[in-house]
């Protein structure tokens, strides 16, 4: 494509994304949205799709400055999608761990808590800084933090591949795969205020520093104690990752340790290989491992997590297998299936993983044309997947949530290797077809996978779970209940324990809150509730029942009355023992009296 036409194409692509952002901002969410995808105007998605189509095509065909512009365009689209909760003026997003992180951040802002008292204080500290500097609410500051921590993933994945191979096609393909955001699985890793997931997006930064340490020689004098600048960069980025979430630091230590083992064995088995010329990773592994040990050993949360893992390994009917059986039974009752859900959530990741797995195999067999230097990094990362997968298996048996967090880290490595793997796949295809023909097939195939990846970036009803949009009315309803309700009267909800809202509103350090012991909280007994026994639905006690638009959408529209029915919800209105004390259009709160 000629220069004027190419420049015009980029200009139109960036303009389309800019207009899409303007329209998204002009159409804020006015009520609870069960899906950010459905709630965002169609024309916004058309603008994003147009920009992404240009980015995919040009990332494969352009080189140099033009490829950088295409990668920037694709990254802008994906970052815009990640930023939709901010752009469309969500009060907050996330009803689980995100609420607790909001509470900790509120404690930091109010001076109730110091950053060093948290096991992983980075996200909360960033939120506090953005709150004070930007003059925005803490909720919005945290959403902004989520976006800021996400962007390095899009930047450093292609940079790592460029540093490993220098192949422009591999760089473009790595960028496209990064836009799929494969580390997010919406089982244990989420696009939101979730520190473990946020840490995943910083892992490529650490890997970039590590690759630079192995491949580049410092042009400045070594620092004191013989430390090279690149080695220091590994320590600094590793420590930053530790402050965001220590679990991903553990995985980095395992990665470096596995590479150190490869280097050690290479010294005895190989006579002439690039691995022998790389500086060893022994010191980096020991230093980062020591930093983690010192940081974690004195922390109660870390000790509790280890104890929970050991108990899970020893217990019966605990682990992912039992949880999968339970989920499959529930899906079947509402007309879904585990297979359908897997295809919806993981088909893009599965395809990329198969391609990467085959690529690692053919590289080890010597059937690729890549340089020995680049192949050594495939060996490093490929063999490192073995201990990382073993740890996944232990988590899978002991604590399923940790297992799928481990999958998130594994797919960071898979994303990096995918750039190299796909470059060889489509490069080989070009020898049988033409280069334009191979690029066309690559664009169409990756375009489909990209759509599948982005449509599961946020939780939505397509995954049999409504979005976790928190509205002003919802926060207001819970705040009024917590602050003005009868002291010691439990606060209950449908299908989950509402204690997270206490965290978000009052923080975790305050005395006058549920966590301070002034009142209990929990889920009502759905069987008693459905039988119309509202008075006895919570341990035969007087209690507050909070019913939100989210609850109604989840139980009626998504779960199709699996646990709570429309008739059961309507019955509360007519029951003489239930008095509606709050109603703001999004939240209804009932004061329910127990049987005398």
């Amino acid at each position: 494509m000629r220069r004027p036409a190419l420049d015009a194409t980029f200009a139109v692509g960036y303009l389309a994304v800019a207009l899409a952002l303007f329209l998204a901002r002009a159409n804020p969410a006015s009520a609870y949205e069960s899906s950010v995808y459905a709630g965002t105007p169609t024309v916004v998605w058309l603008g994003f799709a147009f920009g992404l189509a240009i980015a995919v095509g040009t990332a494969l065909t352009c080189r140099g400055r033009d490829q950088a512009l295409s990668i920037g365009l694709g990254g802008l689209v994906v970052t815009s999608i990640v930023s939709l909760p901010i752009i469309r003026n969500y009060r907050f997003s996330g009803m689980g761990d995100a609420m607790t992180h909001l509470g900790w951040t509120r404690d930091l802002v109010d001076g109730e808590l110091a950053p060093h008292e948290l096991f992983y204080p980075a996200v909360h500290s960033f939120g506090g800084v953005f709150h004070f500097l930007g003059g925005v609410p803490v909720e919005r500051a945290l959403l902004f933090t989520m976006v800021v921590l996400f962007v390095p993933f899009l930047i450093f994945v292609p940079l790592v591949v460029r540093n490993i191979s220098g192949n422009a096609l591999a760089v473009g393909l790595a960028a496209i795969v990064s836009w799929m955001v494969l580390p997010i699985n919406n089982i244990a890793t989420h696009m939101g205020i979730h520190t473990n997931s946020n840490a995943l997006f910083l892992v490529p930064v650490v890997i970039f520093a590590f690759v630079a340490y192995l491949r580049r020689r410092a042009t400045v004098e070594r620092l004191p104690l013989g430390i090279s600048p690149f080695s220091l960069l590994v320590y600094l980025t590793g420590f930053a990752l530790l402050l965001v979430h220590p679990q991903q630091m553990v995985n980095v230590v395992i990665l470096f340790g596995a590479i150190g083992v490869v280097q050690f064995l290479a010294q005895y088995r190989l006579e002439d290989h690039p691995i022998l010329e790389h500086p060893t990773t022994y010191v980096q592994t020991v230093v980062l491992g020591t930093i983690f040990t010192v940081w974690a050993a004195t922390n109660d949360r870390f000790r509790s997590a280890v104890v929970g893992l050991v108990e899970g390994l020893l217990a019966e009917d605990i682990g992912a297998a039992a949880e999968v059986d339970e989920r499959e039974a529930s899906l079947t009752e509402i007309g879904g299936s585990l297979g359908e859900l897997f295809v919806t959530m993981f088909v893009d990741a599965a395809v990329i993983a198969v391609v990467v797995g085959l690529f690692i195999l053919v590289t080890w067999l010597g059937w690729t044309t890549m340089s020995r230097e680049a192949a050594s990094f495939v060996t490093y990362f490929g063999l490192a997947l073995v201990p990382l997968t073993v740890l996944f298996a232990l988590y899978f048996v002991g604590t399923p949530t940790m297992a799928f967090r481990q999958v998130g880290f594994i797919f960071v490595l898979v994303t990096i290797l995918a750039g190299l793997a796909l470059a060889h796949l489509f490069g080989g295809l070009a020898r049988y077809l033409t280069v334009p023909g191979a690029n066309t097939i690559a664009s169409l195939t990756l375009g489909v996978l990209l759509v599948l990846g982005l449509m599961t970036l946020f939780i939505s009803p397509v995954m049999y779970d409504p979005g976790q949009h928190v509205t002003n009315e919802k926060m207001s309803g819970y705040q009024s209940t917590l602050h003005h309700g009868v002291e010691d009267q439990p606060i209950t909800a449908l299908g989950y324990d509402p204690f997270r809202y206490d965290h978000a509103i009052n923080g975790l350090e305050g005395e006058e809150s549920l966590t301070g012991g002034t009142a209990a909280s929990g889920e009502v007994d759905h069987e008693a509730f459905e039988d119309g026994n509202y008075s006895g639905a919570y341990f035969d006690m007087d209690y507050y029942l909070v019913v939100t638009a989210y609850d109604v959408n989840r139980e009626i529209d998504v779960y199709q009355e699996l646990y709570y029915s429309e008739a059961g919800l309507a019955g509360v209105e007519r029951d003489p023992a239930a008095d509606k004390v709050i109603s703001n259009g999004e939240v209804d709160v009932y004061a329910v009296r127990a049987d005398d």
Side-chain angles (χ1 to χ4, degrees):
M1 187 181 295
R2 294 182 178 180
R3 168 60 54 191
L6 189 58
D7 288 343
T9 300
F10 282 128
V12 171
Y14 276 98
L15 180 61
V17 177
L19 290 174
L21 288 171
F22 174 79
L23 292 171
R25 181 63 180 171
N27 291 272
S30 58
Y32 168 73
E33 294 181 347
S34 63
S35 170
V36 68
Y37 301 102
T40 302
T42 303
V43 67
V44 174
W45 293 113
L46 291 176
F48 288 160
F50 186 75
L52 208 54
I54 291 175
V56 170
T58 53
L60 297 177
T61 58
C62 293
R63 300 294 180 262
R65 165 186 172 274
D66 295 329
Q67 188 180 56
L69 287 172
S70 68
I71 292 175
L73 177 58
L76 176 61
V77 173
V78 177
T79 303
S80 298
I81 295 173
V82 170
S83 304
L84 280 175
I86 301 175
I87 295 168
R88 301 198 54 247
N89 205 31
Y90 279 24
R91 169 69 178 268
F92 196 60
S93 182
M95 299 181 186
D97 287 352
M99 288 290 195
T100 299
H101 294 308
L102 174 57
W104 274 324
T105 307
R106 203 177 296 282
D107 287 334
L108 286 178
V109 168
D110 293 340
E112 299 283 345
L113 185 69
H116 69 272
E117 295 179 277
L118 287 170
F119 190 26
Y120 32 84
V123 170
H124 318 89
S125 299
F126 273 123
V129 169
F130 292 141
H131 164 72
F132 287 117
L133 291 181
V136 295
V138 176
E139 296 93 331
R140 195 166 186 81
L142 277 179
L143 291 177
F144 186 66
T145 299
M146 170 194 74
V147 176
V148 169
L149 292 178
F150 170 73
V151 171
F153 181 76
L154 302 180
I155 295 174
F156 282 90
V157 165
L159 284 179
V160 169
V161 173
R162 180 177 178 270
N163 220 9
I164 290 174
S165 73
N167 184 320
L169 178 60
V171 173
L173 288 165
I176 294 171
V177 177
S178 75
W179 302 339
M180 299 177 192
V181 200
L182 298 180
I184 295 299
N185 53 50
N186 279 312
I187 295 177
T189 58
H190 308 277
M191 185 55 69
I193 311 303
H194 187 252
T195 52
N196 196 290
S197 306
N198 304 140
L200 288 172
F201 302 130
L202 293 182
V203 171
V205 182
V206 185
I207 294 177
F208 175 82
F210 172 71
V211 173
Y213 163 73
L214 291 181
R215 294 212 60 182
R216 302 182 183 183
R217 299 297 175 263
T219 57
V220 299
E221 294 183 2
R222 285 182 173 267
L223 301 173
L225 302 178
I227 300 175
S228 75
F230 292 123
S231 185
L232 180 61
L233 187 62
V234 171
Y235 300 143
L236 291 177
T237 55
F239 185 67
L241 182 65
L242 173 70
L243 296 180
V244 178
H245 201 286
Q247 183 181 354
Q248 305 311 337
M249 174 69 154
V250 172
N251 287 324
V252 165
V253 172
I254 292 173
L255 172 65
F256 289 0
I259 292 172
V261 171
V262 173
Q263 292 176 327
F264 178 79
L265 295 176
Q267 292 177 358
Y268 295 95
R269 302 295 299 271
L270 302 174
E271 295 181 357
D272 178 27
H273 197 279
I275 291 178
L276 300 177
E277 300 176 5
H278 292 161
T280 62
T281 64
Y282 311 145
V283 175
Q284 285 73 23
T285 303
V286 171
V287 170
L288 292 179
T290 301
I291 291 173
F292 168 80
T293 302
V294 171
W295 184 268
T298 58
N299 188 273
D300 291 336
R301 288 177 61 85
F302 174 73
R303 291 197 296 269
S304 299
V306 173
V307 171
L309 173 61
V310 173
E311 290 177 348
L313 290 171
L314 299 177
E316 297 181 2
D317 294 330
I318 293 180
E323 188 167 322
V324 167
D325 290 342
E326 182 180 345
R327 296 285 180 89
E328 185 173 18
S330 299
L331 281 171
T332 301
E333 288 192 52
I334 60 177
S337 70
L338 203 58
E340 173 195 348
L341 190 60
F342 176 85
V343 170
T344 301
M345 296 176 66
F346 299 116
V347 67
D348 55 326
V351 170
I352 297 298
V354 168
V355 172
V356 168
L358 293 174
F359 171 69
I360 293 173
L361 178 61
V362 299
T363 300
W364 289 345
L365 293 174
W367 293 353
T368 66
T369 58
M370 68 191 311
S371 68
R372 298 178 73 194
E373 175 75 17
S376 65
F377 283 91
V378 177
T379 299
Y380 284 152
F381 295 149
L383 289 177
L385 289 173
V386 175
L388 291 169
T389 303
V390 170
L391 184 56
F392 160 77
L394 292 174
Y395 286 146
F396 190 85
V397 175
T399 54
T401 298
M402 300 288 277
F404 284 99
R405 290 180 179 182
Q406 186 72 7
V407 169
F409 183 89
I410 289 172
F411 268 97
V412 173
L413 295 183
V414 169
T415 299
I416 292 171
L417 290 172
L420 304 171
L422 292 171
H424 279 73
L425 173 63
F426 293 118
L429 188 62
R431 292 198 293 268
Y432 297 97
L433 303 174
T434 61
V435 172
N439 286 340
T440 300
I441 293 175
S443 297
L444 293 175
T445 303
L446 294 176
V448 171
L449 295 178
L450 188 53
V451 170
L452 292 173
L454 291 175
M455 70 180 283
T456 56
L457 195 55
F458 292 103
I459 293 175
S460 70
V462 74
M463 291 177 279
Y464 296 97
D465 206 3
Q468 298 191 350
H469 172 199
V470 179
T471 63
N472 288 325
E473 291 80 5
K474 191 169 187 179
M475 291 291 277
S476 174
Y478 268 104
Q479 187 169 19
S480 296
T481 305
L482 288 165
H483 291 174
H484 303 297
V486 175
E487 188 175 351
D488 296 329
Q489 186 159 315
I491 300 172
T492 69
L494 307 178
Y496 67 93
D497 189 328
F499 74 94
R500 298 281 194 177
Y501 285 90
D502 169 53
H503 290 178
I505 293 167
N506 295 319
L508 283 79
E509 300 298 315
E511 295 296 328
E512 299 302 322
S513 63
L514 298 182
T515 50
T518 60
S521 66
E523 174 190 354
V524 294
D525 183 337
H526 77 271
E527 292 182 355
F529 187 92
E530 283 300 294
D531 289 340
N533 181 18
Y534 305 110
S535 296
Y538 193 78
F539 302 106
D540 295 319
M541 300 171 61
D542 292 350
Y543 66 95
Y544 291 107
L545 172 65
V546 182
V547 180
T548 69
Y550 166 81
D551 300 323
V552 174
N553 180 272
R554 183 192 64 220
E555 300 298 336
I556 307 303
D557 299 332
V558 179
Y559 292 173
Q560 299 179 27
E561 303 183 299
L562 178 62
Y563 303 111
Y564 299 94
S565 67
E566 194 167 6
L569 293 174
V572 182
E573 291 273 357
R574 301 187 299 269
D575 193 279
D579 298 324
K580 184 183 289 187
V581 294
I582 295 175
S583 182
N584 62 17
E586 291 266 342
V587 176
D588 291 329
V589 180
Y590 301 88
V592 184
R593 296 184 298 278
D595 291 328
D596 295 332

